[in-house]
Amino acid sequence: GAVVSQHPSRVICKSGTSVKIECRSLDFQATTMFWYRQFPKQSLMLMATSNEGSKATYEQGVEKDKFLINHASLTLSTLTVTSAHPEDSSFYICSALGGGFSPLHFGNGTRLTVT
Amino acid sequence: DQQVKQNSPSLSVQEGRISILNCDYTNSMFDYFLWYKKYPAEGPTFLISISSIKDKNEDGRFTVFLNKSAKHLSLHIVPSQPGDSAVYFCAASGRNGNQGGKLIFGQGTELSVKP
């Protein structure tokens, strides 16, 4: 079945630094990738929609200059958390959509801790 | 504004019995509903879905029921097994299935199946 790989699974960084998270679709071409964020005991909140070769579409309240998304190919999207702060600590999950009518497939998520 | 709601944060069921997880939604434009299962520190795994043209979809031990007039869906797991213990998320999308893949998630229900 379709597989989405997300890397790293866990990262700890210091406040003020930037962190890049990669999301790859391993056996299909993902026309669209999505980035979600989950706080403990809460729902997955959509942050942005990423289409290959075009600018990402951000949800209301998400700072595009802070959460940089690049979708350079049909199999790779990256999320860079710039100038990270402790309040950015969260679980970030990507998902990928291939063509057609199919459920989203999710990566295993990245636990970001900003100290 | 929580468009998809799972009002029970947790549910405990005895092994072998039926688990019923509930989900309500407010947006009548939603036409495709999914259930995902999630373990801690992992991404959600797709379980089962239902289109708004149906009122029931069954896959093995999992059955999803949709009541459009009540804007309510439920996931039945029977018989429940200890391995089913996880957080279950209900998700919805609009416009012919995936709304480009943009899913709105409920808050999740943590299911615990006791041996």
Side-chain angles (χ1 to χ4, degrees):
Chain A
V3 177
V4 175
S5 172
Q6 190 172 336
H7 178 81
S9 59
R10 184 180 294 269
V11 58
I12 300 172
C13 71
K14 294 194 174 187
S15 188
T17 61
S18 295
V19 174
K20 180 184 282 189
I21 303 169
E22 291 188 349
C23 180
R24 293 181 186 272
S25 58
L26 296 185
D27 58 359
F28 67 101
Q29 291 185 326
T31 53
T32 308
M33 288 185 174
F34 302 86
W35 288 95
Y36 287 82
R37 180 175 182 177
Q38 185 189 23
F39 291 106
K41 305 289 187 184
Q42 293 190 24
S43 179
L44 285 79
M45 301 299 297
L46 179 65
M47 298 174 66
T49 302
S50 166
N51 291 294
E52 186 265 340
S54 63
K55 289 185 179 180
T57 303
Y58 290 82
E59 295 300 303
Q60 192 173 15
V62 178
E63 299 175 58
K64 62 180 181 180
D65 293 330
K66 179 165 189 63
F67 298 100
L68 299 178
I69 291 172
N70 183 279
H71 195 156
S73 76
L74 283 171
T75 59
L76 173 65
S77 176
T78 60
L79 167 68
T80 301
V81 182
T82 62
S83 187
H85 289 277
E87 56 265 31
D88 298 325
S89 299
S90 188
F91 192 59
Y92 293 86
I93 308 174
C94 72
S95 65
L97 181 69
F101 187 90
S102 61
L104 279 184
H105 296 280
F106 285 82
N108 274 338
T110 298
R111 169 70 61 193
L112 171 64
T113 303
V114 184
T115 59
Chain B
D1 176 33
Q2 189 75 26
Q3 296 187 67
V4 179
K5 298 179 184 178
Q6 292 174 257
N7 292 317
S8 297
S10 62
L11 174 68
S12 183
V13 170
Q14 205 66 32
E15 181 179 8
R17 307 294 289 268
I18 185 171
S19 295
I20 300 176
L21 298 106
N22 293 301
C23 178
D24 297 292
Y25 61 96
T26 57
N27 191 338
S28 57
M29 297 302 292
F30 289 146
D31 62 4
Y32 186 53
F33 304 90
L34 309 91
W35 284 94
Y36 282 84
K37 177 179 180 180
K38 185 180 181 300
Y39 294 112
E42 292 184 12
T45 302
F46 170 73
L47 267 181
I48 192 168
S49 64
I50 188 166
S51 164
S52 61
I53 62 174
K54 293 186 174 183
D55 54 19
K56 177 183 175 181
N57 188 25
E58 190 173 351
D59 183 3
R61 296 187 297 116
F62 302 92
T63 303
V64 56
F65 295 91
L66 175 63
N67 182 334
K68 288 187 290 294
S69 61
K71 293 191 179 68
H72 176 85
L73 65 154
S74 60
L75 174 68
H76 292 210
I77 306 173
V78 56
S80 302
Q81 299 172 354
D84 295 329
S85 297
V87 177
Y88 288 78
F89 286 96
C90 165
S93 73
R95 186 155 54 87
N96 198 32
N98 272 337
Q99 201 179 23
K102 184 172 173 177
L103 297 180
I104 308 297
F105 283 86
Q107 307 96 309
T109 296
E110 184 169 9
L111 173 66
S112 175
V113 180
K114 308 262 186 233

